[in-house]
Amino acid sequence: MYEVAIIGGGPAGLTAALYTARSGRKTIIIERSMPGGQAALTSWIENFPGFPEGVSGPDLMMKFYQQASQFGAEMITEDVVSADLRDDVKIIKTTGRAIEAMSVIIASGAQAKKLGVEGEERFQGRGVSYCATCDGAFFKDKKVAVVGGGDSAVEEAIFLTKFAGEVHIIHRRDELRATRILQERALENPKIKFIYNTVVEEIKGNKGVEKMLLKDVKTGELREEAMDGVFVFIGTVPNTHWLEGVDLNQGGYIQTDDFLKTNLPGVFAAGDVREKFLRQVSTAVGDGATAAMSAERYLGEK
């Protein structure tokens, strides 16, 4: 029996674990892969306070994990299959066990949204990727596409110029949505080219990605573009498919109040998995601390 079970070991979950474990609560973190979640796959983070020169995502997340661990938080690497969160004792079923807890903080984050076009699934891992940090080195001197126009897409495009010979940013609108400083860096980078008002219709190839079928959204014109790789950064989908009984919005994100309480007593949500305005490491940290203190108050009242 744990006092606090935290589902997800990203920045929100690790911060929550730091707070609850430091408060003396018996805490377990359930993480399906590695500590840090999406942040651990980010090559460089420049907007987290305290690091004026920037810091690598994996290094920062490892520090989060070490700090939570030193106060006694446990972590297991397993997938959550289902959870019964309605009663006083919450039961979380993973791929390896059943865990009982008096309170639960859901910090399961979100995963990359897919294009949903022909060839995407077929070539995933063979030219189609959702993580430039993971796969960029495989495309040395190659021609690659980055699909998307937000901060993540532009950041990853800039990162890919360390390896690729050409990086083409494909965006459905006539201007990027990324912050101005990132746009300026991309525009100044001679390896980055822009394809505006365009969507991907199909990804083609034999053993791997060889070309893309592109469509001009204004004229409807179709054309093929030779490409060695495709990196997709068009948003995220919350990891809530396993949840039952917790109120979600239309996009599948968890709805919370200002104290990060869900509609179920003793169940809280933090980070990218919940309905919120901004999804950054800094906001995830704030969420984790708030959810932890709300759980602490709930346990105290119980």
Side-chain angles (χ1 to χ4, degrees):
M1 170 70 73
Y2 291 88
E3 290 176 281
V4 185
I6 300 169
I7 301 172
L14 292 173
T15 302
L18 165 62
Y19 273 73
T20 58
R22 187 170 179 270
S23 297
R25 299 293 184 182
K26 188 178 181 184
T27 301
I28 187 169
I29 309 163
I30 308 163
E31 166 57 41
R32 67 179 179 180
S33 55
M34 61 182 176
Q38 294 279 348
L41 301 177
T42 303
S43 59
W44 199 252
I45 297 173
E46 292 184 318
N47 57 359
F48 190 74
F51 295 88
E53 304 300 322
V55 60
S56 83
D59 287 349
L60 182 62
M61 290 303 100
M62 190 50 64
K63 290 181 187 297
F64 274 41
Y65 172 63
Q66 290 168 349
Q67 197 168 359
S69 297
Q70 76 180 17
F71 287 107
E74 300 175 39
M75 178 181 275
I76 60 169
T77 307
E78 292 178 11
D79 252 325
V80 173
V81 177
S82 64
D84 185 352
L85 307 177
R86 294 178 177 85
D87 298 329
D88 284 348
V89 176
K90 323 295 182 184
I91 301 174
I92 302 164
K93 292 183 179 178
T94 72
T95 46
R97 69 197 79 189
I99 294 166
E100 295 184 342
M102 296 170 66
S103 67
V104 172
I105 297 173
I106 303 168
S108 50
Q111 60 186 334
K113 186 182 290 184
K114 297 188 175 181
L115 291 168
V117 301
E118 189 175 341
E120 182 178 21
E121 292 288 342
R122 178 186 170 195
F123 294 114
Q124 187 170 336
R126 293 189 292 150
V128 174
S129 175
Y130 307 89
C131 176
T133 312
C134 310
D135 300 324
F138 295 116
F139 294 88
K140 188 170 178 60
D141 299 325
K142 300 289 187 179
K143 180 181 177 183
V144 301
V146 169
V147 184
D151 283 357
S152 294
V154 177
E155 282 177 348
E156 300 305 319
I158 294 168
F159 175 78
L160 284 167
T161 61
K162 295 180 179 180
F163 307 100
E166 289 182 34
V167 179
H168 294 252
I169 295 179
I170 300 171
H171 187 41
R172 63 168 56 243
R173 297 182 176 87
D174 57 5
E175 61 180 4
L176 301 174
R177 294 182 293 106
T179 54
R180 186 167 297 278
I181 188 170
L182 289 174
Q183 290 193 42
E184 289 172 355
R185 288 178 187 170
L187 289 165
E188 291 169 1
N189 194 311
K191 284 189 174 183
I192 296 179
K193 297 173 173 52
F194 300 88
I195 305 175
Y196 293 114
N197 299 311
T198 300
V199 294
V200 179
E201 290 286 293
E202 186 180 349
I203 300 170
K204 299 181 175 184
N206 291 310
K207 293 183 178 180
V209 171
E210 294 177 359
K211 53 190 174 182
M212 304 170 70
L213 180 64
L214 304 178
K215 179 181 178 181
D216 187 306
V217 296
K218 288 190 173 180
T219 66
E221 180 187 353
L222 294 171
R223 68 183 177 90
E224 287 189 344
E225 181 84 26
M227 208 69 68
D228 300 305
V230 183
F231 289 81
V232 182
F233 302 102
I234 57 170
T236 57
V237 178
N239 293 318
T240 53
H241 59 278
W242 49 273
L243 270 177
E244 291 183 12
V246 176
D247 286 347
L248 310 175
N249 70 6
Q250 287 186 338
Y253 292 92
I254 298 174
Q255 295 180 316
T256 63
D257 65 9
D258 290 344
F259 299 96
L260 303 196
K261 298 177 183 177
T262 69
N263 59 301
L264 298 180
V267 180
F268 310 87
D272 287 3
V273 75
R274 79 178 188 90
E275 183 177 24
K276 59 191 295 188
F277 168 65
L278 186 64
R279 292 182 169 84
Q280 295 283 299
V281 175
S282 55
T283 61
V285 166
D287 277 8
T290 301
M293 289 299 93
S294 291
E296 171 67 25
R297 178 182 292 180
Y298 169 81
L299 292 169
E301 290 173 352
K302 293 292 284 186

